[in-house]
Amino acid sequence: MLKRTLLGLLWLISLNANAVVILQYHHVSETTPASTSVTPAQFEEQMQYLAANEFTIIPLTQAVNALKNNTPLADKSIVITFDDGYDSIGLAAAPILAKYDFPYTVFVSVEPIEKAYRGMMSWDDIKTLTEKGATIANHSWAHEHLNRKLDGESKQQWLDRIEANLLATEAEIKKHTGQSVKMLAYPYGEYNGDVEDILKKHDFIGLGQQSGAAGKYSILTALPRFPVAGPYADLDSLKVKFTSLNMPVVKQNITDPQLSQGQWRPELIIELDTSDIYPHQVMCFVQGQGAKKPTWVSETEFSIQASANLPAGRSRYNCTAPSKTKSGYYWFSQAWLRPNNDGSWPKE
């Protein structure tokens, strides 16, 4: 009986072992917009905390290979990523990361680099980072809203344009850095099922901006990341996210974040492996509408639905639950994209 119990506990623990928390940064600066920035002091504090508390910082490529092959990852694994290629990454973040010998990935768009937009790294700057161990990956050619068709564009024309965009960006990154890791961070965190199909066709990994730990239950074309900036840069709140676990979502009725016309209150039905979760402890949150208890439709399935229409643009449903056996919370987020009532998209 004791042997059976110990085996059961080991099996439960193994459910959580293949998970990784991916962090998303933009600026590391005191002079850039707070909504997309951490200060150098905050970044130093966060990296020092990870180093001092036995977190294992691994390259994104290693994390993705483990997820693809369902091979074990070290407990408390963390990946560090940056979007856009701002010069503060090289000036402020890279020296701190080098101090702790932490690997990291920078997702870049080509046009802002080649047009020398203010505050962006040059290709020479980026090449210097790669020589020191950084991974460079795809963030589209010009940081486009990949899910949006242009005026007068047919669906096929849009799909062809996005496909060409991503492949041209990948080729340009390879030309300048020698790297082609075939990973795309969706600009603005926006994607839909058709964009995911393009990634699958070319064996790309996709990373969003919805929260949660990545793991065996994650969709490889929609890996979650925790944005770290502004109000989400507080170390006390980050400590909970650093130890978050991959929510064991066995099935969900909707995976495409782009809502159909008029379907502004999507009902999301989630089936969980509840081996390490007490169902009554699952709590969900509708962005802009607050906490919402899920409705359990069976012993392993619950539904969550907004009480009011989601706003045009980007929003989320988040669900969390404490683990029975580990110190940490399971965390799941479903991104939503909603056009205006007339089918147009909000201006950025």
Side-chain angles (χ1 to χ4, degrees), residues 22-86:
I22 307 174
L23 305 177
Q24 178 210 16
Y25 293 91
H26 287 86
H27 302 276
V28 181
S29 170
E30 294 179 340
T31 61
T32 47
S35 61
T36 53
S37 301
V38 295
T39 67
Q42 285 176 313
F43 190 71
E44 170 75 46
E45 180 186 38
Q46 293 161 13
M47 297 304 104
Q48 193 280 330
Y49 177 84
L50 293 174
N53 287 275
E54 300 181 345
F55 287 88
T56 301
I57 315 305
I58 61 174
L60 179 59
T61 50
Q62 179 183 336
V64 166
N65 286 337
L67 298 182
K68 279 183 172 180
N69 299 309
N70 198 26
T71 54
L73 285 164
D75 197 21
K76 298 169 67 175
S77 289
I78 300 278
V79 166
I80 298 167
T81 70
F82 299 86
D83 283 8
D84 301 333
Y86 294 112

Side-chain angles (χ1 to χ4, degrees), residues 316-337:
R316 306 280 186 270
Y317 288 176
N318 293 330
C319 296
T320 61
S323 166
K324 290 180 183 178
T325 61
K326 296 194 75 173
S327 176
Y329 278 80
Y330 289 101
W331 198 304
F332 170 81
S333 180
Q334 173 62 46
W336 302 115
L337 298 175

Side-chain angles (χ1 to χ4, degrees), residues 32-331:
T32 47
S35 61
T36 53
S37 301
V38 295
T39 67
Q42 285 176 313
F43 190 71
E44 170 75 46
E45 180 186 38
Q46 293 161 13
M47 297 304 104
Q48 193 280 330
Y49 177 84
L50 293 174
N53 287 275
E54 300 181 345
F55 287 88
T56 301
I57 315 305
I58 61 174
L60 179 59
T61 50
Q62 179 183 336
V64 166
N65 286 337
L67 298 182
K68 279 183 172 180
N69 299 309
N70 198 26
T71 54
L73 285 164
D75 197 21
K76 298 169 67 175
S77 289
I78 300 278
V79 166
I80 298 167
T81 70
F82 299 86
D83 283 8
D84 301 333
Y86 294 112
D87 57 10
S88 66
I89 299 167
L91 295 172
I96 296 170
L97 292 161
K99 174 181 174 181
Y100 296 104
D101 196 26
F102 286 171
Y104 60 99
T105 295
V106 184
F107 291 96
V108 299
S109 298
V110 174
E111 184 175 288
I113 299 170
E114 299 199 336
K115 292 188 174 180
Y117 288 177
R118 183 179 177 184
M120 306 302 298
M121 288 189 288
S122 67
W123 281 120
D124 284 343
D125 296 330
I126 291 167
K127 185 68 185 303
T128 298
L129 294 186
T130 68
E131 291 168 352
K132 296 178 179 178
T135 300
I136 308 301
N138 198 317
H139 203 35
S140 82
W141 188 268
H143 204 275
E144 295 91 348
H145 296 271
L146 299 180
N147 65 305
R148 304 184 187 184
K149 289 186 287 190
L150 302 176
D151 290 343
E153 194 173 41
S154 71
K155 180 175 180 179
Q156 191 58 53
Q157 288 171 328
W158 160 63
L159 292 173
D160 291 344
R161 175 173 60 85
I162 298 304
E163 183 175 28
N165 177 316
L166 302 183
L167 295 179
T169 304
E170 195 71 15
E172 197 71 10
I173 291 170
K174 185 174 183 179
K175 183 177 83 171
H176 287 281
T177 70
Q179 299 183 3
S180 178
V181 296
K182 300 181 79 171
M183 298 182 194
L184 170 73
Y186 299 114
Y188 311 99
E190 296 181 352
Y191 64 95
N192 59 24
D194 290 317
V195 175
E196 288 184 276
D197 286 342
I198 294 173
L199 267 62
K200 292 172 187 174
K201 175 181 175 181
H202 295 283
D203 196 28
F204 270 68
I205 297 297
L207 295 96
Q209 296 183 18
Q210 74 277 14
S211 301
K216 64 179 287 187
Y217 298 99
S218 298
I219 299 170
L220 290 174
T221 49
L223 294 179
R225 293 186 293 170
F226 282 108
V228 186
Y232 303 109
D234 176 71
L235 182 58
D236 286 338
S237 64
L238 282 174
K239 289 175 183 178
V240 177
K241 297 173 182 178
F242 289 158
T243 58
S244 61
L245 307 170
N246 180 222
M247 184 74 86
V249 176
V250 176
K251 185 170 64 175
Q252 59 189 92
N253 66 323
I254 305 171
T255 58
D256 191 332
Q258 187 162 318
L259 299 175
S260 301
Q261 187 65 31
Q263 301 302 308
W264 307 150
R265 302 183 191 184
E267 182 184 19
L268 183 65
I269 301 174
I270 297 287
E271 181 181 348
L272 295 180
D273 179 340
T274 56
S275 303
D276 194 42
I277 291 174
Y278 294 111
H280 71 275
Q281 292 184 320
V282 176
M283 177 56 75
C284 297
F285 302 82
V286 176
Q287 187 173 345
Q289 299 180 30
K292 194 173 181 66
K293 262 289 196 186
T295 300
W296 286 88
V297 296
S298 74
E299 290 185 354
T300 59
E301 288 181 298
F302 69 84
S303 71
I304 180 71
Q305 185 172 25
S307 300
N309 289 349
L310 296 177
R314 298 183 290 272
S315 55
R316 306 280 186 270
Y317 288 176
N318 293 330
C319 296
T320 61
S323 166
K324 290 180 183 178
T325 61
K326 296 194 75 173
S327 176
Y329 278 80
Y330 289 101
W331 198 304

